[in-house]
Amino acid sequence: AVFGKVEAQFEDTGEQTVKNIVQPVRAYRLHVGAADAAPAVRAATPRNPHLRRVAFAVVTLLVLATGIGISQFWRPAGSTVTNEVAVNPLSILVLPFANQTGEAQKAYVADALTTSITADLSRIRDAYVIPPTTAFSFKDKALTVQQIGKDAGVRFVVQGSVLSSGDKIRISVTLADAQSGATLWTDTLDGELSNLFALQDKVTAQIGNGIGHEMVIVAARESEMRQSAPKVADLLLRAAALNLKTQSLQNWQQIEALNRQALALEPNNVRAMTGLAAALALQALNFSYDMEPAVIEQKWSEVHELALKAKVLDPYNGDVYRVLGFYAETHNDFPGWRRASETALSLQPKNWSAYNNLSRWFIANAEPEKAIALLTQAFQLEPKHPSPVCFYNIARAHWQSGNKDAALEWSLKGTEAHPTYAGNYALLAMLYTAKGDEARAKAAVMELRRLSPNFRNTGSVIPHPSGPRAYKEFYENTYMPMYRKAGLTE
């Protein structure tokens, strides 16, 4: 049907490096024109609509035959084929883990870890993770991290190895910057092969959270350079990085501002909605002593409105239920607080914050042992960067269970890991007072007042109106007497 109507000429451009294809691929430039056109080679698309359709069909067949993207062909004459693309700031490739056990039959352990860690990294918001099938094409290739990053079009590269001795196994992991080749994060984990599935789940979650933490920090740092032209992705990256810092009122206010900017650009962005709702909720929940009652309730009203809107747009978003849990906690819905927290955990089973939030319900329900178990999980998921609130809550739970020594130890760990978080100094002051150590109690109070002059008990500690009598008794007979004796402000 097209014989004599289309003249197609192919210019061999040689072997080219193409994204996501390891071996060089021979590429051709297609020049299409009418049969009666001038002999000179023309790169333009034919004007005749029928010929345009024919030309497109020819190109499509070539693309299907070679596996090369259409952008490799459809270029003006004289242009060069290039692999330069805009790289997602949260893009990553997990190289196949090296089996260094000396036993070929244990290669499945390394391969399983590669696949599982890739899956865990896919949980990172806005991350672009190269699928394992593509990643395995880089196996045993003598390429630098920079070369791999360029070929795969990614910002970060994960490398790892597996060693074993008998039933013992050691897993080493490194996160590298694909632009500079520099190591950003490294970790070594030990375990036993006898319970491989449990070990794999623990290792991949720990690695996924640790790597995700570093990726967000690097990407947010780079997004700061683009402040003159803010984009939603940049704004949300910067908010995510601030979420990793020690909690403070100023910190949450900055997160609030960034999410408001993002929503102004994209009014239905669920991530910005839940981020704003969480920032407002945590200001009202944990820093009520710095706000007027009318301001607090105004924040809660906006929190509820944002959460309900986000729930309609994305009913399976765990962050939505996290925020709804905060609202229920502060609005006399004790059962609703638990339901929302449990739903958030079911939707985000590898999120430390989900374990922490549910633990607070068990503390308020006078079940400290269950709270400690949940918080232990939170620390396992985020061992290198545990949040200050995890130290604070596990100390509270141990004190409630009657173990003042463990409570004191966790409070001290909290102040060492996060020296600017006020809550742990309040606990230190009360626990030292309970032990009769007045000098250390006084020092803790002084540091608390330096960090937070207006510190008061907040809603996260005060008994819930619908909560059990057992927690109210602990609060009235143990917690508050030490609070007052330490000289803290009510």
Side-chain angles (χ1 to χ4, degrees):
V2 301
F3 184 79
K5 296 181 181 179
V6 177
E7 179 183 283
Q9 297 187 22
F10 298 91
E11 176 188 348
D12 187 347
T13 62
E15 292 190 337
Q16 304 291 337
T17 300
V18 182
K19 179 181 176 181
N20 292 339
I21 299 178
V22 178
Q23 298 296 332
V25 176
R26 182 165 296 279
Y28 298 86
R29 183 176 294 111
L30 174 66
H31 303 283
V32 183
D36 60 351
V41 174
R42 297 190 300 152
T45 307
R47 293 176 182 273
N48 187 309
H50 174 69
L51 295 182
R52 279 201 297 270
R53 287 194 296 271
V54 172
F56 181 77
V58 172
V59 172
T60 302
L61 288 171
L62 286 166
V63 171
L64 292 173
T66 62
I68 304 173
I70 193 167
S71 61
Q72 297 296 322
F73 290 97
W74 210 254
R75 298 174 185 276
S79 68
T80 57
V81 178
T82 177
N83 190 40
E84 294 300 320
V85 293
V87 175
N88 184 317
L90 289 178
S91 53
I92 187 167
L93 178 144
V94 181
L95 285 173
F97 273 49
N99 174 28
Q100 296 180 346
T101 64
E103 301 176 50
Q105 66 269 27
K106 288 185 179 178
Y108 74 94
V109 178
D111 291 346
L113 281 170
T114 305
T115 303
S116 296
I117 290 170
T118 301
D120 260 26
L121 290 174
S122 298
R123 295 183 298 104
I124 301 170
R125 277 175 163 170
D126 300 325
Y128 170 64
V129 185
I130 298 294
T133 50
T134 302
F136 274 93
S137 68
F138 288 93
K139 192 171 185 176
D140 301 324
K141 302 292 183 183
L143 299 173
T144 65
V145 167
Q146 291 99 319
Q147 288 173 320
I148 293 170
K150 183 178 180 181
D151 290 349
V154 295
R155 183 69 177 79
F156 302 96
V157 174
V158 175
Q159 298 169 289
S161 62
V162 179
L163 287 165
S164 71
S165 176
D167 196 39
K168 303 292 183 183
I169 186 171
R170 171 164 292 177
I171 300 159
S172 299
V173 191
T174 298
L175 174 69
D177 185 328
Q179 291 184 359
S180 66
T183 296
L184 301 173
W185 181 91
T186 186
D187 203 359
T188 300
L189 304 103
D190 296 312
E192 296 184 359
L193 278 170
S194 56
N195 194 356
L196 182 59
F197 290 120
L199 172 65
Q200 180 176 301
D201 189 57
K202 176 183 175 182
V203 167
T204 57
Q206 187 168 325
I207 291 171
N209 284 324
I211 288 174
H213 186 285
E214 297 302 325
M215 286 171 63
V216 167
I217 288 175
V218 171
R221 188 183 302 129
E222 292 174 352
S223 76
E224 286 284 353
M225 302 174 188
R226 300 188 287 270
Q227 286 190 70
S228 58
K231 296 179 297 184
V232 170
D234 285 343
L235 292 167
L236 295 179
L237 270 174
R238 281 149 54 190
L242 286 172
N243 264 295
L244 300 174
K245 291 188 175 182
T246 298
Q247 186 180 113
S248 70
L249 179 58
Q250 294 72 26
N251 193 55
W252 287 117
Q253 288 170 338
Q254 291 178 51
I255 294 170
E256 174 191 344
L258 289 167
N259 281 291
R260 286 196 188 280
Q261 291 179 58
L263 273 180
L265 295 170
E266 289 186 6
N268 285 328
N269 188 302
V270 173
R271 180 178 172 189
M273 272 184 216
T274 56
L276 174 58
L280 293 169
L282 289 165
Q283 289 175 51
L285 183 65
N286 294 331
F287 301 95
S288 56
Y289 47 78
D290 278 328
M291 303 175 202
E292 295 296 326
V295 174
I296 295 171
E297 198 47 49
Q298 182 181 359
K299 289 184 184 293
W300 281 123
S301 177
E302 188 175 5
V303 166
H304 198 225
E305 181 182 345
L306 287 164
L308 292 180
K309 184 178 180 181
K311 186 179 179 182
V312 171
L313 293 170
D314 188 359
Y316 300 105
N317 187 314
D319 289 334
V320 170
Y321 292 94
R322 173 194 180 207
V323 173
L324 288 172
F326 292 146
Y327 186 84
E329 175 185 358
T330 54
H331 288 76
N332 198 24
D333 185 1
F334 199 64
W337 176 15
R338 177 174 183 169
R339 285 195 306 272
S341 299
E342 288 179 335
T343 302
L345 180 57
S346 70
L347 293 169
Q348 298 177 325
K350 294 185 179 179
N351 185 331
W352 69 265
S353 182
Y355 288 89
N356 174 68
N357 288 331
L358 184 55
S359 79
R360 294 191 308 104
W361 186 89
F362 280 108
I363 290 173
N365 201 50
E367 296 183 80
E369 290 79 12
K370 290 182 179 179
I372 291 167
L374 288 164
L375 288 160
T376 300
Q377 281 280 88
F379 278 103
Q380 289 175 352
L381 288 168
E382 200 68 89
K384 285 200 168 186
H385 308 283
S387 168
V389 295
C390 287
F391 290 103
Y392 177 70
N393 288 326
I394 201 168
R396 288 175 57 205
H398 277 294
W399 187 12
Q400 189 180 344
S401 71
N403 192 339
K404 290 195 292 289
D405 290 338
L408 180 61
E409 183 66 23
W410 279 108
S411 294
L412 287 169
K413 288 179 180 177
T415 57
E416 289 171 4
H418 297 277
T420 61
Y421 181 68
N424 281 312
Y425 291 98
L427 281 179
L428 274 181
M430 289 183 276
L431 290 164
Y432 277 131
T433 298
K435 291 177 72 70
D437 193 334
E438 294 182 7
R440 286 191 172 90
K442 185 177 180 180
V445 172
M446 290 178 64
E447 187 61 17
L448 172 65
R449 288 177 177 162
R450 185 186 71 81
L451 292 169
S452 183
N454 298 325
F455 183 88
R456 303 284 192 283
N457 266 337
T458 60
S460 61
V461 174
I462 297 170
H464 197 280
S466 302
R469 183 64 198 164
Y471 180 73
K472 293 175 184 175
E473 289 176 352
F474 167 77
Y475 180 79
E476 294 167 358
N477 300 332
T478 303
Y479 185 93
M480 284 309 295
M482 292 303 103
Y483 187 96
R484 295 183 180 111
K485 190 173 181 180
L488 299 176
T489 307
E490 294 191 47

